[in-house]
Amino acid sequence: MRLSAVATFLGLASAASAHFQMQYPAPRGPFVEDNEPSFCDGYTDAVSNRTTFPLTNGVIKMNSEHPTWTVGVVVSTKQNPTAFGDFNNASNESQLAVNYFQTTGEGLACFNIDLSKSGIPGVQDGANITIEVVYDGGDGQLYQCADLTLSSTVSVPSNATSSCKNITSAESNTTASSTSTSPSASTSSTKTGAAVGSMARVPGVVAGLLVLTGAVLAL
Ligand SMILES: [Cu+2]
């Protein structure tokens, strides 16, 4: 009885240890499941054979072994980022190129990454950067890194994404533009609200004048 309970627990534990694998661009080294909760899947140093990666209209292809998951992508512009802090800006905030979003589905998945719109200083044609994909499928945060050289003239190879299910990502630039849109939207709704409010006050003013008039007449 106890043994079968232990076996069931181990079975669940091994199923829960399924993670994710970045397929494109190539990660720093072969996937090591046990190291994925660690910085860059345990690969602490940048590789010399960097992937030449599109500055605009890039794609991340990965395999998810969890049915529901959250993913985001952070960027380091250091030549050899060796720790999580190397992916932060001077204010110690994550340099996000793809904002965290949640999606569903196991298997191959692709999402967009447009580094040219990330607004991160130093992200430009010819730059060496490192991306870290941060994934959480319910058993903690997991990390894989890819060392890149950005190019404005290459595009994603078609075979890199051929068998891929496209999913919608909330890129940081998309969020930034929707953020910049929403203040004007809320401003206009505030204006509308103010207009409605002043319209609503008019009858009160009129009523007050009528009362005054009535009071004057009564005198
Ligand atoms: Cu997992």
Side-chain angles (χ1 to χ4, degrees):
M1 196 65 178
R2 289 194 59 139
L3 271 176
S4 70
V6 168
T8 304
F9 173 77
L10 287 175
L12 287 171
S14 68
S17 72
H19 293 331
F20 87 102
Q21 297 88 36
M22 177 156 51
Q23 315 256 313
Y24 176 83
R28 280 185 170 180
F31 171 63
V32 182
E33 182 168 306
D34 289 348
N35 288 347
E36 214 173 24
S38 305
F39 174 74
C40 291
D41 193 23
Y43 294 97
T44 43
D45 290 298
V47 299
S48 52
N49 59 332
R50 293 170 172 273
T51 299
T52 304
F53 192 81
L55 179 62
T56 57
N57 300 319
V59 168
I60 307 282
K61 179 187 185 181
M62 46 162 280
N63 180 54
S64 175
E65 297 178 322
H66 288 279
T68 301
W69 40 284
T70 300
V71 74
V73 181
V74 293
V75 169
S76 175
T77 53
K78 297 209 161 74
Q79 289 297 297
N80 184 24
T82 57
F84 289 113
D86 290 337
F87 291 78
N88 293 347
N89 63 18
S91 309
N92 217 28
E93 299 157 338
S94 286
Q95 299 194 126
L96 277 164
V98 177
N99 275 344
Y100 293 99
F101 66 96
Q102 190 179 60
T103 188
T104 56
E106 293 176 55
L108 295 174
C110 287
F111 57 90
N112 300 322
I113 175 169
D114 196 331
L115 288 156
S116 70
K117 294 178 182 165
S118 66
I120 299 166
V123 171
Q124 59 198 40
D125 187 27
N128 285 343
I129 70 160
T130 300
I131 58 169
E132 181 167 51
V133 176
V134 183
Y135 170 103
D136 192 336
D139 56 1
Q141 287 199 332
L142 306 168
Y143 310 95
Q144 279 203 292
C145 296
D147 301 302
L148 313 175
T149 299
L150 298 178
S151 168
S152 58
T153 54
V154 302
S155 50
V156 176
S158 58
N159 63 355
T161 56
S162 50
S163 53
C164 206
K165 181 189 76 162
N166 281 312
I167 54 173
T168 309
S169 71
E171 287 181 57
S172 59
N173 57 297
T174 311
T175 307
S177 64
S178 68
T179 306
S180 64
T181 321
S182 34
S184 61
S186 65
T187 303
S188 65
S189 69
T190 304
K191 277 175 185 163
T192 309
V196 168
S198 59
M199 288 287 280
R201 277 197 296 275
V202 171
V205 172
V206 172
L209 282 172
L210 286 174
V211 168
L212 272 176
T213 311
V216 169
L217 285 176
L219 285 171

